[in-house]
Amino acid sequence: MPSQKIIIVSGASSGFGAMTVRGLADAGHVVYAGMRDITGRNTAAARDASEYAQTRSVDLRPIEMDVSSQDSVDAAVEAVVAEHGRVDVVVHNAGHMVLGPLEAFTPEQLVGVYDTNAVSTQRLNRAVLPHLRGQGDGLVVWVGSSSTRGGTPPYLGPYFAAKAAEDALAVSYAAELARFGIDTVIIVPGSFTTGTNHFANAGHPASPEVAEAYEGRYGGLMDQIARKLADLAPADADPAEVARSIVRVVDTPKGRRPFRVHIDPADDGAETVNRVGDLIRREFYRRVELEDLLGPALPAD
């Protein structure tokens, strides 16, 4: 894979995505910052990315990509391939958090949360993986969450479930892409109560009367969770470390990349549980003689 990589990042208008595209561009890569409605709601985000590129003399390009639309995702990937003839890295970062008692969310809301956090990765994969398979090379980075294995406080159920689904997809894809020479890394951020827009932009239940029924027993719960999470995190917790971790794995040679990278300042236990789960996965693959699927096929010497 060339040292300068062609990279597509979903959900790049804010938060981890915005930090990541800037970090990758600063590292010398050609980076496409996927975001929806760049001539509307995300006009300012697209403009800021373009201005960053101009000011820093880096190659950072906002691109229209609505991960809820296969046509939009296909068009974005086709535009990148038409420009460069290849894609080297895709970063699944698009996500959306919701807050509130699980019962108060409608089934349709759960479908929406699953779509943004999990199903959207399938749209992007179906658009980009034919190119990576054809190249016999590439890297898929999944931005997950420590909530899939660590301590999970109440009132975040739809988000936690959707991120768990994303993690399961990432693990399955890792094995199914290995023989094509495509590498997989799962980035596992913990809770960052400052420096991102996760909590500020979170969605809320469509049934406020149901949410109100929980207030008698669970009043003030979200404030308590936010306060305690902030207390658990060290004063120097920096969400930009997530972006720096992604830059490091992109720049690490194939075959030497870690399967998971945890960035969890509050230490909610996910790293411990994932270590056990990934060990069991490795041992099982050895038992069924599929050990080669634990890492990407490397070019013959």
Side-chain angles (χ1 to χ4, degrees):
M1 190 181 290
S3 57
Q4 184 189 63
K5 298 175 178 66
I6 310 301
I7 303 174
I8 299 173
V9 181
S10 69
S13 62
S14 64
F16 294 144
M19 298 175 199
T20 296
V21 294
R22 286 159 173 76
L24 290 168
D26 286 340
H29 303 295
V30 178
V31 186
Y32 286 84
M35 55 186 84
R36 63 177 176 175
D37 199 13
I38 60 176
T39 60
R41 61 177 292 179
N42 281 320
T43 298
R47 182 182 63 246
D48 289 347
S50 296
E51 290 176 353
Y52 186 92
Q54 184 174 10
T55 302
R56 301 290 287 263
S57 297
V58 296
D59 203 337
L60 172 57
R61 314 182 190 189
I63 189 168
E64 177 68 33
M65 188 168 69
D66 180 354
V67 295
S68 68
S69 164
Q70 189 68 61
D71 287 344
S72 178
V73 172
D74 289 346
V77 172
E78 288 169 8
V80 174
V81 173
E83 178 74 16
H84 303 281
R86 71 180 203 272
V87 178
D88 300 311
V89 181
V90 59
V91 180
H92 291 300
N93 173 74
H96 181 57
M97 180 182 287
V98 295
L99 303 173
L102 188 52
E103 183 190 346
F105 291 93
T106 65
E108 292 75 19
Q109 283 187 295
L110 261 65
V111 169
V113 176
Y114 269 78
D115 191 277
T116 300
N117 291 282
V119 180
S120 70
T121 65
Q122 183 73 349
R123 296 189 184 99
L124 184 49
N125 276 348
R126 283 174 61 84
V128 77
L129 288 181
H131 301 287
L132 301 190
R133 288 190 287 102
Q135 296 163 188
D137 200 6
L139 168 64
V140 182
V141 178
W142 304 72
V143 181
S145 170
S146 67
S147 66
T148 62
R149 295 290 186 274
T152 51
Y155 278 27
L156 288 154
Y159 176 73
F160 288 168
K163 296 305 283 188
E166 181 203 6
D167 189 88
L169 289 171
V171 172
S172 292
Y173 261 120
E176 294 180 11
L177 296 176
R179 288 180 180 169
F180 290 100
I182 300 170
D183 210 352
T184 294
V185 176
I186 305 172
I187 303 293
V188 189
S191 59
F192 288 89
T193 56
T194 60
T196 72
N197 295 322
H198 284 110
F199 286 91
N201 292 339
H204 297 281
S207 300
E209 72 284 358
V210 177
E212 182 63 29
Y214 279 77
E215 279 301 295
R217 305 283 179 99
Y218 293 88
L221 179 70
M222 282 312 308
D223 290 339
Q224 178 184 349
I225 291 171
R227 184 172 65 254
K228 292 299 182 181
L229 286 176
D231 290 345
L232 288 174
D236 60 352
D238 182 5
E241 182 57 29
V242 174
R244 289 190 286 268
S245 296
I246 293 173
V247 173
R248 283 193 290 270
V249 300
V250 167
D251 287 341
T252 298
K254 181 165 69 172
R256 292 166 52 189
R257 295 181 176 116
F259 183 56
R260 289 186 195 270
V261 179
H262 293 81
I263 310 98
D264 184 13
D267 189 18
D268 67 9
E271 188 167 3
T272 300
V273 179
N274 276 326
R275 188 182 301 117
V276 174
D278 291 339
L279 173 63
I280 291 171
R281 172 179 177 266
R282 290 194 299 272
E283 290 303 317
F284 179 78
Y285 275 43
R286 292 187 180 103
R287 288 169 59 198
V288 297
E289 299 182 357
L290 291 174
E291 190 172 358
D292 71 298
L293 304 186
L294 294 171
L298 300 175
D301 293 334

